[in-house]
């Protein structure tokens, strides 16, 4: 069900982007750090959107990787503590 909803949202976003792209066909002059150029507004919007999407996924990937590594370390710690607890429970009780 989540996949279907995600797919519908993606199709709607694509349709909105396509509509905006067809409406914004004028040329804009862009001065960026190393050079300058004239680009169609729709192309510029698409490039910026895709670049932001890619950067977002890269950041998300690094955060997810860090969390998985931390989770793995915590699981090992819990396993060590579980073993220690079992060893302590196996010891005879001294009066």
């Amino acid at each position: 069900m989540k996949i279907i909803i995600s797919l519908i949202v993606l199709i709607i976003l694509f349709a909105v982007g396509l509509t905006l792209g067809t409406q914004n066909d004028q040329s804009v002059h862009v001065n960026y750090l190393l050079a300058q150029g004239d680009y169609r507004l729709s192309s510029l919007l698409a490039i910026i959107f895709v670049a932001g999407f890619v950067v977002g996924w890269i950041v998300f990937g690094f955060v997810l990787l860090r969390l998985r590594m931390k989770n793995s370390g915590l699981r090992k710690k819990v396993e060590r503590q579980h073993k220690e607890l079992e060893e302590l429970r196996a010891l005879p009780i001294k009066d």
Side-chain angles (χ1 to χ4, degrees), residues 7-73:
L7 188 59
I8 290 171
V9 169
L10 187 63
I11 290 171
I12 290 171
L13 285 174
F14 180 74
V16 168
L18 189 62
T19 303
L20 287 175
T22 58
Q23 297 294 322
N24 295 314
D25 61 347
Q26 62 259 48
S27 180
V28 292
H29 184 73
V30 178
N31 290 323
Y32 47 96
L33 189 60
L34 299 175
Q36 58 187 352
D38 290 321
Y39 302 102
R40 284 190 9 201
L41 185 58
S42 59
S43 300
L44 193 59
L45 287 172
I47 290 169
I48 298 298
F49 178 76
V50 169
F53 187 78
V54 169
V55 168
W57 271 104
I58 289 172
V59 169
F60 172 73
F62 282 131
V63 169
L64 186 65
L65 179 64
R66 189 184 82 210
L67 288 175
R68 284 189 181 191
M69 289 173 57
K70 186 175 182 179
N71 192 13
S72 175

